[in-house]
Amino acid sequence: WNSEDDLATAWIEYKLQHPASIDEVVLKLDYFRTRSYPLRILVDGQEAWRGTTGKSLGYVHLKFKPVIGQTVRIQLTAPPIRQAVADPTPLLGIIETEIYSDKK
């Protein structure tokens, strides 16, 4: 999945079958070896995580305090960072997404 080249629409939302106590999102992002992505994760509209992903060899694990909800939004908050310089194109590309629930 790829967003359009517009920061206002650079987000994707997942609707779970039922509310869950969500505590981690794992992403494989486009250009994961060369770009960092300023993101925020919202669970039912409540911010659960905000930060910049690191460059990786594949997957980034974004862990946070459990939040109960049914809708998970992953949103780009600024253009990606490539080689320590902001990329002018605010494009978010997601290859895989995994959403984990706190099973306690």
Side-chain angles (χ1 to χ4, degrees), residues 20-74:
S21 179
I22 300 160
D23 66 348
E24 183 178 8
V25 172
V26 178
L27 298 171
K28 185 173 186 181
L29 300 163
D30 266 355
Y31 305 102
F32 52 84
R33 291 178 188 250
T34 59
R35 291 187 185 162
S36 298
Y37 292 84
L39 299 176
R40 75 180 187 150
I41 297 173
L42 302 157
V43 178
D44 283 358
Q46 178 183 347
E47 189 171 278
W49 188 90
R50 178 186 283 265
T52 301
T53 66
K55 295 176 186 84
S56 73
L57 295 177
Y59 296 91
V60 292
H61 294 256
L62 310 176
K63 297 180 182 186
F64 45 87
K65 182 179 173 186
V67 180
I68 296 173
Q70 190 169 358
T71 303
V72 177
R73 178 182 283 206
I74 301 166

Side-chain angles (χ1 to χ4, degrees), residues 89-101:
T89 306
L91 182 68
L92 176 60
I94 299 176
I95 299 167
E96 290 181 41
T97 302
E98 297 175 11
I99 299 169
Y100 290 96
S101 175

